[in-house]
Amino acid sequence: MTTKTHDKLKGGQLLGMLPLFTPKWNRDVYLRAEQRNARAFRRGYEQDAMSDDELMFPSWTKVRDSFKGARITDILGKSRAEWFRKWGRFGGVDLSSENRAGNVIVTVASEKAVDLSRVEKGTRPPAARRCPVEVCWPEADTWTHPELVQQMNGVHSRWEWDRVFVESNAQQGQIIRWGETMGAPWTTKVDGFCTTAKKWDEHLGLPGIEVELSHGLWLIPYGEWESHDPGCLCGWCALDTEMSTFTATGPAEGAGDKTMALYFAWECIKSGPRAPEWANIEHGTR
């Protein structure tokens, strides 16, 4: 917080206008907001807009806006059979913990590989494109383990995951056991994914998603939430907010769990299905 703004807040007023503070929004609330995320505070309360240089995914909004009005069916195809024939479906699940509420399930479709025998010798095959197709979360609340299993059952019934990565923490084993107890059909497709410092790696981590975004390898169905009201807490809007404001130190808005679930699904794509039906192909530009 700048010294000038801090002095204004100490006095509880700004430029001689009416007091800014109320019992709910008092000085301590603003100071705690700054302590949680100083960059987000400057953006939200001091009108200090973020530059592309600060953002982890500066291409997200550019790509998103290029797909105005596009729905999932416009990208994947009109029928479920067409989706499953042309696209693999991969899940990423970010789990809650004792210190952080909420669970997030993100499903991303990825184009199946081309028949390499038909690619001209010496040429590079086209890279597979990605498309997020569902973001499921309890809107700032949390699910119990049985509720999370039920949500995963619902997502799997719609997309029939080829594989799903679940965040490896103390909760993962319990989720799988609950799934087995409840007869969940996806338990044999689950692998744990341990988040390490690799997530910041320029090529292998989160920055790798930006590389793919900037090369046109992500198709974003903006029509699914384009008309939603400001402040909407649906999964699409929550993911969009995080991806639009994510910095090198984390999200300027949101908890970052939607972005991490997307990252798990992206890592899952790179690992391929449990029982490969299609070959992984090298990343690259079209």
Side-chain angles (χ1 to χ4, degrees):
M1 185 186 305
T2 63
T3 302
K4 184 182 294 185
T5 302
H6 186 270
D7 290 342
K8 293 171 185 174
L9 289 179
K10 281 181 66 177
Q13 60 185 24
L14 185 64
L15 301 178
M17 297 174 66
L18 294 174
L20 294 174
F21 299 143
T22 66
K24 180 178 179 180
W25 297 101
N26 55 55
R27 176 174 178 270
D28 289 340
V29 170
Y30 288 108
L31 292 178
R32 284 197 299 271
E34 185 201 17
Q35 290 168 0
R36 281 196 304 271
N37 192 318
R39 186 62 188 89
F41 184 88
R42 296 202 310 274
R43 176 178 181 268
Y45 296 99
E46 297 183 349
Q47 307 302 303
D48 183 5
M50 289 181 173
S51 67
D52 282 358
D53 291 341
E54 292 180 274
L55 296 174
M56 178 71 75
F57 311 108
S59 299
W60 172 267
T61 54
K62 299 181 182 69
V63 175
R64 180 202 66 193
D65 290 347
S66 71
F67 282 90
K68 286 186 176 181
R71 308 299 292 262
I72 291 172
T73 52
D74 297 321
I75 297 173
L76 268 59
K78 300 301 182 184
S79 70
R80 183 182 174 94
E82 187 176 357
W83 300 350
F84 289 5
R85 185 175 67 255
K86 295 182 178 180
W87 299 80
R89 289 85 52 207
F90 298 85
V93 182
D94 186 81
L95 299 177
S96 61
S97 65
E98 292 182 0
N99 299 319
R100 177 173 56 79
N103 302 280
V104 184
I105 308 166
V106 171
T107 301
V108 177
S110 182
E111 284 182 311
K112 294 186 177 182
V114 297
D115 182 354
L116 299 183
S117 66
R118 292 185 297 160
V119 177
E120 185 179 346
K121 186 175 180 179
T123 62
R124 189 187 189 93
R129 294 175 297 176
R130 331 294 195 194
C131 176
V133 294
E134 185 168 347
V135 185
C136 187
W137 80 304
E139 298 190 5
D141 197 355
T142 190
W143 290 315
T144 64
H145 290 162
E147 288 172 340
L148 175 59
V149 169
Q150 290 175 347
Q151 293 292 333
M152 292 176 71
N153 286 347
V155 176
H156 182 71
S157 70
R158 291 186 286 277
W159 295 105
E160 296 184 17
W161 288 318
D162 291 300
R163 194 174 190 180
V164 56
F165 274 5
V166 176
E167 179 184 16
S168 268
N169 64 18
Q171 309 292 321
Q172 177 205 350
Q174 297 180 46
I175 297 299
I176 293 176
R177 285 192 291 274
W178 270 105
E180 291 172 342
T181 300
M182 298 171 66
W186 43 261
T187 54
T188 59
K189 300 183 179 183
V190 171
D191 281 298
F193 183 80
C194 185
T195 307
T196 65
K198 188 185 82 169
K199 71 181 180 182
W200 303 113
D201 184 272
E202 183 177 353
H203 303 290
L204 303 176
L206 289 164
I209 297 178
E210 166 57 22
V211 172
E212 292 189 351
L213 282 164
S214 67
H215 284 98
L217 298 183
W218 283 76
L219 315 175
I220 301 175
Y222 191 21
E224 298 292 338
W225 75 93
E226 181 182 1
S227 62
H228 290 195
D229 292 333
C232 174
L233 292 176
C234 80
W236 286 117
C237 291
L239 174 66
D240 185 38
T241 296
E242 287 190 2
M243 293 293 289
S244 301
T245 62
F246 208 96
T247 71
T249 57
E253 294 185 30
D257 46 3
K258 275 71 68 180
T259 300
M260 292 311 299
L262 179 76
Y263 169 60
F264 298 158
W266 181 68
E267 288 285 358
C268 191
I269 289 169
K270 294 193 293 180
S271 297
R274 269 293 188 88
E277 298 174 358
W278 46 282
N280 289 313
I281 58 178
E282 186 179 4
H283 293 300
T285 61
R286 288 182 293 176

